[in-house]
Amino acid sequence: GDQVEQSPSALSLHEGTGSALRCNFTTTMRAVQWFQQNSRGSLINLFYLASGTKENGRLKSTFNSKESYSTLHIRDAQLEDSGTYFCAAEAWASGGNYKPTFGKGTSLVVHP
Amino acid sequence: GALVYQYPRRTICKSGTSMRMECQAVGFQATSVAWYRQSPQKTFELIALSTVNSAIKYEQNFTQEKFPISHPNLSFSSMTVLNAYLEDRGLYLCGAREGTYAEQFFGPGTRLTVL
């Protein structure tokens, strides 16, 4: 089965509201990265975490390796936040040969 | 800042022909480069991982014979799709990082259409 399970697959928000995206892992991960993919396909780096919580503006992400999940919180959503959000997690591997695995993405639409 | 460029951004090739795509890292040393394909359904598949001074590791369902990769220095990598067919369509992304415990930076991708 998939090592990275991302939810929800789709999300609709009104401007000014917020929500959380989540990735659950079926194996122990050493780090997780969150991206926003814009309409042109470019992946924008949001967060890279080996543990704990990071915050950047209206976005906050947490990675709990022990409980095998990571979350991305969006508050005060704006129209430009629309896009597809992906988490990518790396399992521990020998020799430093990480194998980053992507979730299937959350398609976010922010409405006026 | 760290940037990754990919070219071409879009390419169209006839079924059975080959095309080469390039990935350039600027502002950091790309000690590892991962090549991915994103399907039209947006699912990511890891094709191979290239680490300088190590053999390139291909994932199941991807081979060097079909997707030869070159990673000659710390700023450049290229991959060729040989004998492209419809199932090879998608957005090819390269993700580069400096060191093992570091975030990946992605290029904008090369979108491959096969006619």
Side-chain angles (χ1 to χ4, degrees):
Chain A
D2 292 346
Q3 288 189 322
V4 179
E5 297 163 353
Q6 187 171 346
S7 63
S9 57
L11 182 61
S12 178
L13 293 175
H14 285 290
E15 265 187 306
T17 64
S19 189
L21 287 57
R22 186 176 175 108
C23 282
N24 290 327
F25 312 121
T26 57
T27 191
T28 303
M29 299 295 185
R30 68 173 179 89
V32 67
Q33 200 163 354
W34 284 91
F35 300 91
Q36 178 194 22
Q37 189 171 37
N38 63 22
S39 57
R40 285 187 282 182
S42 293
L43 283 170
I44 300 161
N45 286 30
L46 298 177
F47 295 103
Y48 176 77
L49 301 105
S51 66
T53 297
K54 287 187 179 178
E55 195 162 353
N56 184 6
R58 297 178 291 102
L59 300 178
K60 182 170 76 172
S61 181
T62 295
F63 173 43
N64 188 321
S65 176
K66 213 171 182 181
E67 296 186 18
S68 297
Y69 75 89
S70 178
T71 56
L72 176 68
H73 291 260
I74 302 173
R75 63 175 175 82
D76 187 23
Q78 303 297 305
L79 296 177
E80 61 264 28
D81 295 332
S82 295
T84 307
Y85 290 77
F86 291 93
C87 68
E90 302 167 16
W92 290 98
S94 61
N97 292 319
Y98 67 94
K99 288 181 65 171
T101 303
F102 277 78
K104 291 197 161 107
T106 296
S107 178
L108 170 65
V109 176
V110 180
H111 299 279
Chain B
L3 290 171
V4 176
Y5 296 99
Q6 283 186 256
Y7 28 89
R9 291 293 306 275
R10 293 177 178 272
T11 187
I12 300 171
C13 67
K14 287 185 179 177
S15 186
T17 63
S18 302
M19 70 82 50
R20 181 171 178 262
M21 55 190 77
E22 299 182 346
C23 174
Q24 178 130 30
V26 176
F28 68 105
Q29 295 186 324
T31 56
S32 295
V33 174
W35 285 93
Y36 293 86
R37 179 172 66 200
Q38 188 179 28
S39 69
Q41 294 73 35
K42 298 200 172 182
T43 304
F44 283 86
E45 295 175 280
L46 178 62
I47 298 170
L49 177 64
S50 173
T51 304
V52 169
N53 298 326
S54 292
I56 297 170
K57 296 201 172 191
Y58 286 83
E59 288 297 291
Q60 201 171 13
N61 302 327
F62 297 97
T63 65
Q64 184 180 8
E65 290 69 34
K66 171 74 175 176
F67 298 96
I69 289 170
S70 170
H71 186 185
N73 56 53
L74 293 174
S75 63
F76 182 82
S77 179
S78 66
M79 184 176 74
T80 301
V81 181
L82 294 173
N83 300 316
Y85 288 100
L86 281 176
E87 58 264 27
D88 296 319
R89 291 171 304 170
L91 181 66
Y92 287 81
L93 292 152
C94 79
R97 73 200 303 171
E98 180 170 352
T100 305
Y101 302 101
E103 64 185 305
Q104 279 192 106
F105 294 95
F106 280 86
T110 294
R111 190 170 296 281
L112 173 63
T113 300
V114 181
L115 301 177

